[in-house]
Amino acid sequence: MQNRHNLNRRLPYLLLAPSIIILLALILYPLGFALRNSFWFWNLQTSAVPLYHSGLDNYRMVFQVTPFTEALKNTLLLAGLGTLAQFWLGMGVALLLHTHLRGMGFCRALLIMPTTLAPVVAGFLFRYLLEPKGGLLPWLLEGIGFPVPPQGILGYAGSALFAIGMVDTWQWTPFFAIVLYAGLLSISEEVKEAAQVDGASPWRMFWSITLPLLRPIAAFLVMIRFMQLFNSFDLVFVLTGGGPGTSSRTLSFNLYREGLVNYNIGLTAAMTWLVVIIVTVIINLYIIFIFRKREW
């Protein structure tokens, strides 16, 4: 009887063990491979194997020979502002869906369509829409008197990164809206009715009741989307190629250029670990700040 009890207690761990081992192998081996080779000079254009131990030279070269600082700034802007825009736009759409207006059921079904597209497909779609000569969006902007750069929105350094963020926002705002709408449905009607009896205005109900009750869902959504945007590559590759110049280059695109175009494996490995450290610090600070109150 005791043996059977011990087996039942250990069975969940035994069933989870293969998945955990495979997952750890898929995470730890690439990180270990990158860490080791970050201290070696290795360029596939000159040798199929690492040539010599270079110490911290690769880490210094990341800042000296690549636009790492500018790519980091672009990545933080894209991830930070993009996540905020998608959250608040998604919240607005979720509140609209939560009303009893006619046609909201059809709108809910329609909303999910952008998220079903692959980012590459969305990128090509908007690449044609943003074409300087004949594109629909430049034509509409010029029609309402908004100046469009001669080289186009994607070809102008001041608007290229904004265009990438706009496309990503178009694609992923519905994701926020659907999840936040589900969160709104989980809020008890009794709580809302009690607030209305106390004379709370709709604005006060949103800030004091709706938003705090949605905080766990919202915090998780923001964290997931920030990490996804921090690793943006598809849209950058399709829409701008990191240009013009390096004005829209992100960290992921920087890794691609150094690793798969210049074949500088040692430098790319060092850059990978710098990105891992930066993401880890940002996410841990976010968790400490957002999740420090455990009562909710």
Side-chain angles (χ1 to χ4, degrees):
M1 189 71 178
Q2 183 66 27
N3 291 336
R4 186 172 184 179
H5 175 72
N6 291 334
L7 179 61
N8 290 336
R9 189 175 59 181
R10 294 174 183 173
L11 184 60
Y13 300 100
L14 293 173
L15 294 174
L16 287 172
S19 299
I20 294 173
I21 292 171
I22 293 173
L23 185 60
L24 287 175
L26 291 174
I27 295 173
L28 295 179
Y29 176 76
L31 287 177
F33 178 85
L35 182 61
R36 178 191 179 277
N37 289 295
S38 68
F39 300 108
W40 288 77
F41 176 80
W42 185 11
N43 192 307
L44 290 178
Q45 296 180 91
T46 58
S47 173
V49 295
L51 290 179
Y52 60 85
H53 188 271
S54 59
L56 295 174
D57 286 350
N58 284 325
Y59 289 91
R60 284 192 288 266
M61 289 175 63
V62 166
F63 297 95
Q64 293 173 357
V65 303
T66 74
F68 183 84
T69 304
E70 186 173 3
L72 175 60
K73 182 192 71 174
N74 291 338
T75 302
L76 289 173
L77 278 173
L78 182 63
L81 297 180
T83 302
L84 284 175
Q86 291 170 29
F87 171 76
W88 287 111
L89 288 172
M91 177 65 76
V93 174
L95 291 171
L96 183 62
L97 292 175
H98 197 50
T99 62
H100 299 290
L101 297 176
R102 294 182 62 183
M104 287 297 105
F106 174 74
C107 290
R108 287 195 292 271
L110 195 64
L111 264 177
I112 203 66
M113 290 182 65
T115 60
T116 63
L117 293 176
V120 172
V121 175
F124 276 114
L125 172 64
F126 274 87
R127 187 171 176 176
Y128 291 119
L129 289 174
L130 291 167
E131 182 68 28
K133 296 179 181 179
L136 177 62
L137 294 180
W139 178 76
L140 289 174
L141 291 173
E142 289 175 351
I144 60 175
F146 190 86
V148 177
Q151 60 270 53
I153 295 174
L154 296 176
Y156 178 59
S159 59
L161 190 65
F162 169 80
I164 294 170
M166 178 194 70
V167 177
D168 191 85
T169 299
W170 170 83
Q171 185 172 21
W172 289 104
T173 293
F175 172 72
F176 273 90
I178 295 298
V179 177
L180 290 173
Y181 171 70
L184 289 173
L185 293 177
S186 68
I187 298 176
S188 173
E189 291 295 331
E190 295 178 358
V191 176
K192 299 177 184 178
E193 292 172 0
Q196 289 174 344
V197 170
D198 291 338
S201 64
W203 188 252
R204 173 55 60 186
M205 288 178 60
F206 173 74
W207 281 106
S208 300
I209 297 175
T210 303
L211 204 55
L213 291 175
L214 288 177
R215 187 179 176 185
I217 298 173
F220 180 75
L221 274 178
V222 167
M223 182 174 67
I224 293 300
R225 276 304 295 153
F226 179 87
M227 288 191 291
Q228 290 175 332
L229 268 170
F230 199 90
N231 293 310
S232 294
F233 171 78
D234 312 67
L235 290 178
V236 178
F237 180 81
V238 173
L239 290 172
T240 65
T246 57
S247 60
S248 64
R249 182 174 291 199
T250 59
L251 291 176
S252 294
F253 193 83
N254 221 26
L255 287 167
Y256 158 76
R257 288 287 303 178
E258 292 302 323
L260 297 179
V261 177
N262 298 330
Y263 300 109
N264 201 336
I265 305 303
L267 184 65
T268 305
M271 199 185 306
T272 298
W273 265 96
L274 289 173
V275 173
V276 168
I277 293 170
I278 291 169
V279 173
T280 302
V281 170
I282 292 174
I283 294 302
N284 277 279
L285 289 175
Y286 175 82
I287 290 173
I288 291 171
F289 179 75
I290 296 295
F291 294 94
R292 67 184 185 275
K293 296 181 179 180
R294 300 298 300 173
E295 62 268 19
W296 53 267

